[in-house]
Amino acid sequence: MTGPVMPLAVAESDATAEAESIGYDEILRRVRALAPRITARSEEIENARHLPRDLVEDLRRCGVFRATMPAEWGGPELTSMEQIALIEEVSAADAAVGWCVMIGMDSGIYAGHLTPGAAAELYPRLDMVTAGWVAPAGVANETAGGYLVDGHWRFGSGCTHADIIAGGCTVHRDGRPLLDGTGKPVTRIVLAPSASYAVEDTWHTTGLAGTGSCDYTAERLFVPAEHTVSFDEPRRDEPMYRRSDTLVRKMPGVPLGLARAAIEHVHGLVDRRFEGPGVPWRSSRHVQAVLAECEMRLTVARSAVHATVEAVWDRLVAGDRPTHKERADAALARYHAFRSARTIAHTLYDLVGGDATHRSRTPLDRAVRDSTTACQHVVGQHRVLEWSGQLLLGDEPGAAFV
């Protein structure tokens, strides 16, 4: 539940920026102004396999990383729907950047699950970036005042530019896993400054190369108990912090933005390409039908995401728990958005044909690869169908964030 008001500390050099209170409309305006510069650097981002530092600072100034910071601390505390729309805008400019923004804006969610004192200590500024893998791949050995942590985590999207890195751990006591009252292992997510971890250059992938989703490790890292969180133990009562699926609700913004950019790219070709002698693409019934099909897929996917997330949000605002059906609908809409974006990218790639294979001529090669890699995240995997089916039948799946 909400503790006493304790605003985040402000570094002297950042006082002017931190004193500025900005909301969704202003953050969105800044992102739209930055978008052309993001797109212009897409090749650089992909080749580097991580975000350039100066671009991270540009995004920080836009306010995207403060999106989930509590209003009580001066943050915008955006709704899940606003978060999705913001991520769509960034992802339309570059999907890897959109993915990093989607991950990095979790800072406020982590901070909202800490005690006010610990939040002020770990997050002294509103615009800090958090990255990390929350699945319990590490071991947190109980010790006086906290934990000694050893672990090797994968898929640390944004860990190359993060201020704070999270790592999911199984808690051990006296060398053995600690069990809860139901016999299940106790888990915690540890939070520590990025310099506390060793980042390994492992991110050589099909797509989303620019996310820098490297492996990272820790060895005998001391983490104070108050710098660990469990999403099953919210400390704030605002809607954003009441359910652990707040981390994944916004994820469809990435594929939705990617798909929109791919469609807009092909729209830009209709007056410059021809289907046979004298037949412009604009007059081609085949091209018209393909564009209509892709627009249909995106409209349906986007409508489903926003409608189902809004239903969950409204339930949380009312102080109620989302129903099993509402949770299943939201999970299925996320899954459908990822899969639909991949279908749209492949469909347009096939439409454009040979030119689509040239990275310098078209972004469609990148869209195909990025959407393919994005679908390998658990929210885009077939397991979502199994978990959603269990919910629809009234059962509780043994999966986090559903």
Side-chain angles (χ1 to χ4, degrees):
M1 299 302 109
T2 305
V5 176
M6 186 176 294
L8 301 186
V10 179
E12 184 177 349
S13 62
D14 295 321
T16 301
E18 288 292 324
E20 182 183 29
S21 179
I22 55 176
Y24 170 71
D25 290 339
E26 176 59 19
I27 297 173
L28 185 62
R29 185 195 69 77
R30 295 181 186 187
V31 164
R32 286 174 172 166
L34 181 63
R37 283 183 282 159
I38 295 175
T39 301
R41 302 183 70 176
S42 285
E43 185 175 358
E44 173 194 353
I45 291 166
E46 179 160 63
N47 289 339
R49 295 182 294 111
H50 60 78
L51 300 195
R53 286 285 175 175
D54 64 306
L55 179 56
V56 174
E57 296 310 308
D58 287 339
L59 291 164
R60 205 187 297 269
R61 283 188 286 270
C62 286
V64 294
F65 297 124
R66 68 169 64 185
T68 62
M69 283 292 180
E72 183 181 18
W73 298 344
E77 198 175 315
L78 302 186
T79 68
S80 291
M81 296 78 74
E82 290 170 335
Q83 294 171 41
I84 292 170
L86 187 63
I87 293 165
E88 285 183 78
E89 289 286 339
V90 182
S91 300
D94 185 282
V97 178
W99 191 274
C100 286
V101 166
M102 178 268 296
I103 296 291
M105 68 166 58
D106 285 338
S107 294
I109 297 172
Y110 288 109
H113 282 78
L114 295 165
T115 64
E121 187 176 352
L122 273 173
Y123 295 97
R125 297 175 298 281
L126 291 174
D127 297 302
M128 294 179 70
V129 180
T130 303
W133 181 253
V134 298
V139 172
N141 296 282
E142 287 187 332
T143 191
Y147 304 94
L148 287 176
V149 176
D150 297 285
H152 183 150
W153 298 267
R154 303 172 64 202
F155 305 113
S157 300
C159 66
T160 55
H161 61 261
D163 301 299
I164 299 293
I165 295 181
C169 293
T170 302
V171 176
H172 281 219
R173 176 179 293 169
D174 298 327
R176 290 186 170 186
L178 181 64
L179 305 181
D180 64 17
T182 67
K184 295 180 179 179
V186 174
T187 62
R188 303 290 293 179
I189 299 168
V190 303
L191 298 167
S194 57
S196 305
Y197 300 87
V199 175
E200 301 179 359
D201 185 16
T202 55
W203 192 240
H204 301 268
T205 59
T206 303
L208 293 177
T211 61
S213 303
C214 299
D215 291 15
Y216 59 101
T217 61
E219 185 175 350
R220 306 294 286 174
L221 170 64
F222 175 73
V223 178
E226 60 269 23
H227 289 184
T228 71
V229 302
S230 168
F231 290 117
D232 295 326
E233 301 171 3
R235 293 183 180 272
R236 304 188 64 85
D237 197 33
E238 294 91 340
M240 191 190 310
Y241 312 103
R242 290 180 187 160
R243 279 192 50 79
S244 61
D245 68 330
T246 188
L247 288 177
V248 299
R249 275 185 232 136
K250 63 192 182 305
M251 290 189 71
V254 176
L256 294 176
L258 179 156
R260 170 50 59 201
I263 292 173
E264 292 304 319
H265 171 74
V266 176
H267 272 287
L269 299 178
V270 296
D271 290 322
R272 295 189 284 120
R273 290 179 64 101
F274 293 85
E275 186 178 76
V279 181
W281 264 27
R282 179 176 293 279
S283 302
S284 166
R285 292 190 176 183
H286 172 62
V287 172
Q288 293 166 357
V290 169
L291 282 172
E293 176 190 350
C294 290
E295 196 69 49
M296 173 190 68
R297 290 183 184 276
L298 179 56
T299 298
V300 170
R302 189 173 190 274
S303 297
V305 164
H306 280 271
T308 57
V309 168
E310 189 168 357
V312 169
W313 187 263
D314 287 346
R315 190 70 78 169
L316 294 171
V317 168
D320 299 326
R321 295 179 62 84
T323 66
H324 278 45
K325 175 68 161 57
E326 288 165 342
R327 290 166 56 195
D329 287 346
L332 291 170
R334 284 193 293 272
Y335 168 86
H336 181 251
F338 276 79
R339 294 286 166 151
S340 294
R342 187 173 67 176
T343 298
I344 290 168
H346 277 270
T347 299
L348 296 175
Y349 185 90
D350 286 344
L351 175 67
V352 171
D355 279 350
T357 64
H358 292 271
R359 299 185 188 184
S360 61
R361 298 180 190 174
T362 170
L364 293 179
D365 169 81
R366 172 88 175 270
V368 166
R369 291 184 291 105
D370 285 351
S371 61
T372 298
T373 297
C375 282
Q376 304 318 303
H377 191 281
V378 67
V379 299
Q381 290 285 293
H382 288 302
R383 283 175 288 177
V384 173
L385 299 178
E386 299 171 11
W387 298 332
S388 298
Q390 292 171 28
L391 285 169
L392 292 171
L393 294 175
D395 296 329
E396 190 63 43
F401 310 121
V402 179

